[in-house]
Amino acid sequence: MAQGLGGNDGPETTNFEDRWTTGQPDIQSQLALGPKGTTLLDAVEIPISSIAAQKVFIWGWADYDDIFDATPRHRTEFCCRVVVIPQNPAQMMVRFETYRMHNGYDDDCFREPSPYAQPV
């Protein structure tokens, strides 16, 4: 699983790089998450100029095996735009709008799921 922030170009031109070296186990990102479970993501710094320009995107994906399904690995992707709604000089609201790309599962995904490798 990975997540990130898009730059000024948006998700259309972002490569969705993993945060670890390809071919190396990523012990930090592997987790077991039950039905209706949640997890926290890493804290990130977002420049105020990007927020003001409405150019902040949050995306992520999960590659997983389904114990109730004998088919190969599955993948789910999400992407949303962070929209700031000014309230007054001291307050603002933030809305997460589902973006038109990179939201789906299995065949609707941008990439195929990665093969599972047991951490060494």
Side-chain angles (χ1 to χ4, degrees):
M1 181 183 315
Q3 73 284 335
L5 296 173
N8 291 335
D9 295 328
E12 289 85 352
T13 59
T14 301
N15 194 18
F16 293 93
E17 295 281 334
D18 283 332
R19 297 177 302 157
W20 57 87
T21 304
T22 302
Q24 299 295 316
D26 177 38
I27 297 167
Q28 300 295 330
S29 292
Q30 296 175 358
L31 65 104
L33 190 63
K36 299 185 181 184
T38 61
T39 185
L40 298 175
L41 302 176
D42 295 338
V44 295
E45 290 184 30
I46 305 171
I48 285 287
S49 59
S50 293
I51 295 171
Q54 308 282 344
K55 302 260 185 183
V56 176
F57 298 88
I58 299 173
W59 70 81
W61 62 87
D63 296 337
Y64 61 96
D65 295 317
D66 185 339
I67 63 169
F68 301 109
D69 186 350
T71 59
R73 288 179 60 79
H74 298 273
R75 183 178 184 94
T76 298
E77 296 176 345
F78 68 89
C79 180
C80 62
R81 179 191 300 266
V82 178
V83 177
V84 177
I85 306 164
Q87 297 293 303
N88 61 50
Q91 271 187 323
M92 68 174 71
M93 291 179 59
V94 177
R95 181 176 66 226
F96 299 93
E97 291 182 348
T98 301
Y99 196 67
R100 64 181 180 77
M101 297 177 69
H102 308 296
N103 282 288
Y105 59 92
D106 291 337
D107 293 337
D108 297 327
C109 291
F110 182 69
R111 289 193 178 145
E112 295 290 318
S114 300
Y116 175 73
Q118 184 72 3
V120 290

